[in-house]
């Protein structure tokens, strides 16, 4: 039986006025497991209108009411984490433990947002002039929308909505059409937590739905996470319609391995960072940059470890890596691997022909290691978003850092070394937003903000953490004097200065 997935408006699931549908696959089997309703322009108008109505009261709710609802939501997500993880595994393909990990990382943002009374504290300056005080505070924006990618169907939305809602906004989520079910369960949990209807909504759809949100006059801000071409489009179109926008894009994350690194430690971590979640993480390492003579022994160990990875369906507790998201994605990855040998690289470990017994129609690609890659090859220039690690050999740290800085992306990067001096130089000189020192996937904790540089982020504010609070609010500065002081300082026609 193929189920139908619709929208969440006004605190309830609904088909809205949608009739157009799109299949949702189980990547481990290749089967269609659900049919997703795609919003009409009228559905977008309806969801924004209900969010706008809900904003009126929600923006006036006390900080203690908001924080109580956030705590309740936190408990519910924690309790239902296994259910959320199962939905993610069935639609995305990642293994269950990895899906649980993403729910946990999302929960950390909810926990951060539980402290909203502290986060929204303003500033106060007493007696800036005779009888005059000055204070600042922040207010919510109104209806804000989030557009999210397939690779973290619970965590990435949770980078956005806990903070947006805690700040007093009404949030409309447009999840990826490939794995939409986690959003619907989270909507149910918000209702159970006591969030008023309309403060959190889900609208399912494709590019047309996104564009309707970008152009909608009642949407004040857009948070986007996805690929670079779409991030660029979102930033330009939402900015043109006067919205505040943060658009996080794709990545090509490099890891430098210096000759003084602990070889086995580096190999183990590179393998986990390159092949975990089938390489479908925006912080996955996809380029290993070796310096000097460590290349041969390191790559031999990486190949050995990668060949031992158990690839299989995410529901199987013995699987360490699942399928990729779609057949088209598999075909694209297989094509890129093939192009690398055509262009002169050496495929050390080849995952193109992998089949998983009992899951022959699943979208599986095995771990792949490519050596002798150069920066002009397609496999280096493209974001592969699959279980492929390319190796670029260099002779010096200078060459390795210059290579990273010449790359158009700047999301994450890492260095493996035992030299504090090299590590310090690396983090100061590299033009990348998130940096790991012997930590290959340096995703900041929720109380810091997440964001890349260059083509990995369009807009000026990173996501979640303090910059999230700043993104979802705007500041007011009040200069205040009470009438009893009027006689002391008569009005003047010259520009006011402190007395
Ligand atoms: P995607 O860009 O294809 O889709 C992201 C969202 O945009 C989806 O909701 C989709 O419906 C919508 N969309 C797609 N095409 C559109 C169009 N033409 N106009 C308007 N909206 C459109 O990304 P994806 O394949 O779902 O996710 C993988 C990408 O996301 C990778 O590039 C990955 O690096 C990136 N990503 C980045 C981060 C980060 O923090 N920088 C995090 C996760 C994923």
């Amino acid at each position: 039986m193929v189920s139908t997935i619709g929208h969440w408006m006004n605190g309830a699931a609904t088909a809205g006025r949608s009739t157009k549908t799109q299949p949702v696959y189980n990547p481990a089997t290749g089967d269609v497991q659900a049919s997703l309703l795609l919003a009409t322009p009228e559905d977008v108008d309806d969801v924004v209108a209900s969010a706008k109505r809900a904003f009126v009261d929600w923006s006036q709710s006390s900080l203690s009411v908001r924080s109580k609802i956030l705590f309740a939501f936190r408990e519910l997500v924690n309790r239902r984490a296994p259910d959320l993880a199962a939905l993610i595994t069935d639609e995305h393909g990642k293994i269950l433990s990895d899906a649980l990990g993403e729910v946990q990382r999302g929960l950390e943002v909810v926990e951060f947002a539980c402290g909203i009374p502290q986060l929204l504290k303003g500033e106060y300056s007493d007696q800036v002039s005779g009888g005059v005080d000055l204070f600042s505070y922040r207010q919510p924006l109104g209806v804000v929308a989030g557009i999210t990618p397939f690779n973290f169907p619970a965590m990435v939305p949770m980078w956005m909505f806990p903070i947006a809602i805690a700040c007093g906004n009404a949030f409309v989520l447009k999840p990826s059409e490939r794995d939409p079910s986690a959003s619907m369960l989270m909507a149910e949990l918000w209702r159970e937590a006591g969030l008023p209807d309309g403060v959190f909504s889900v609208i399912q759809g494709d590019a047309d739905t996104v564009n309707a949100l970008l152009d909608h006059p009642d949407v004040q801000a857009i948070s986007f996470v996805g690929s670079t071409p779409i991030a660029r489009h979102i930033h330009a179109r939402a900015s043109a319609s006067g919205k505040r926008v943060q658009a996080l894009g794709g990545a090509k994350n490099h890891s430098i391995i210096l000759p003084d690194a602990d070889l086995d430690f580096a190999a183990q971590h590179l393998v986990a960072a390159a092949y975990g979640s089938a390489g479908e993480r925006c912080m996955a390492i996809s380029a290993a940059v070796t310096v000097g003579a460590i290349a041969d022994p390191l790559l031999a160990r990486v190949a050995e470890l990668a060949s031992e990875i158990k690839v299989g369906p995410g529901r199987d507790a013995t699987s360490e890596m699942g399928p990729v998201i779609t057949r088209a994605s598999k075909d694209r990855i297989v094509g890129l691997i093939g192009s690398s040998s055509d262009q002169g690289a050496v495929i050390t470990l080849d995952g193109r022909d992998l089949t998983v017994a009992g899951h022959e129609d699943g979208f599986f690609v095995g771990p792949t290691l490519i050596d002798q890659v150069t920066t002009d090859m397609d496999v280096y220039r493209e974001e592969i978003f699959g279980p492929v690690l390319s190796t670029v050999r260099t002779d010096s740290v200078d060459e390795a850092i210059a290579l990273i800085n010449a790359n158009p992306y700047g999301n994450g990067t890492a260095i493996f070394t035992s030299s504090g001096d090299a590590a310090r130089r690396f983090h100061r000189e590299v033009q990348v937003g998130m940096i790991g020192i012997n930590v290959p996937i340096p995703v900041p904790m929720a109380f810091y903000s997440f964001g890349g540089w260059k083509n990995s982020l369009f807009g000026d504010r990173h996501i979640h953490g303090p910059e999230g609070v700043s993104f979802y609010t705007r500041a007011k500065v009040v200069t205040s004097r009470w009438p009893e002081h009027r006689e002391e300082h008569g009005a003047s026609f010259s520009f006011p200065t402190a007395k």
Side-chain angles (χ1 to χ4, degrees), residues 25-33 90 93 313-314 323 327 358-364:
Y25 290 91
N26 180 333
T29 61
D31 295 337
V32 173
Q33 58 171 352
D90 288 348
R327 186 171 304 284
H359 289 79
E360 286 76 8
D361 293 328
F363 312 141
F364 291 96

Side-chain angles (χ1 to χ4, degrees), residues 391-409:
T391 311
V392 186
R393 295 178 180 229
T394 65
D395 294 323
S396 66
V397 189
D398 287 345
E399 195 189 338
I401 293 176
L403 185 136
I404 297 175
N405 287 348
N407 192 278
Y409 295 105

Side-chain angles (χ1 to χ4, degrees), residues 458-480:
F458 301 88
D460 66 347
R461 259 165 292 188
H462 291 192
I463 210 160
H464 74 60
E467 295 200 30
V469 176
S470 156
F471 183 77
Y472 290 122
T473 53
R474 51 189 166 181
K476 269 188 178 161
V477 184
V478 182
T479 307
S480 153

Side-chain angles (χ1 to χ4, degrees), residues 25-165:
Y25 290 91
N26 180 333
T29 61
D31 295 337
V32 173
Q33 58 171 352
S35 179
L36 180 72
L37 287 166
L38 302 178
T40 61
E42 293 76 25
D43 290 326
V44 175
D45 285 343
D46 290 347
V47 81
V48 173
S50 81
K52 192 178 174 188
R53 282 193 300 276
F55 172 74
V56 174
D57 286 343
W58 181 246
S59 59
Q60 299 304 316
S61 62
S62 71
L63 290 172
S64 85
V65 162
R66 288 188 224 164
S67 121
K68 277 195 185 84
I69 292 173
L70 276 148
F71 271 107
F73 181 70
R74 191 257 167 215
E75 288 309 306
L76 289 164
V77 174
N78 200 32
R79 200 180 313 149
R80 299 290 300 275
D83 301 324
L84 271 170
L87 289 174
I88 294 168
T89 292
D90 288 348
E91 291 180 351
H92 174 284
K94 64 177 74 174
I95 59 172
L96 270 175
S97 58
D98 194 33
L100 269 174
E102 90 156 86
V103 175
Q104 178 56 39
R105 292 306 300 262
L107 260 180
E108 289 166 9
V109 182
V110 181
E111 286 160 1
F112 173 77
C114 285
I116 197 66
Q118 173 71 16
L119 296 168
L120 280 183
K121 272 159 79 171
E123 297 168 313
Y124 194 99
S125 297
D126 172 57
Q127 192 73 351
V128 293
S129 183
V132 178
D133 304 326
L134 190 67
F135 57 97
S136 71
Y137 62 101
R138 304 190 71 88
Q139 290 187 321
L141 305 177
V143 178
V144 299
I147 298 145
T148 53
F150 80 83
N151 65 324
F152 286 108
M155 182 185 78
V156 169
M158 283 198 271
W159 282 355
M160 304 170 180
F161 64 67
I163 297 176
I165 289 173

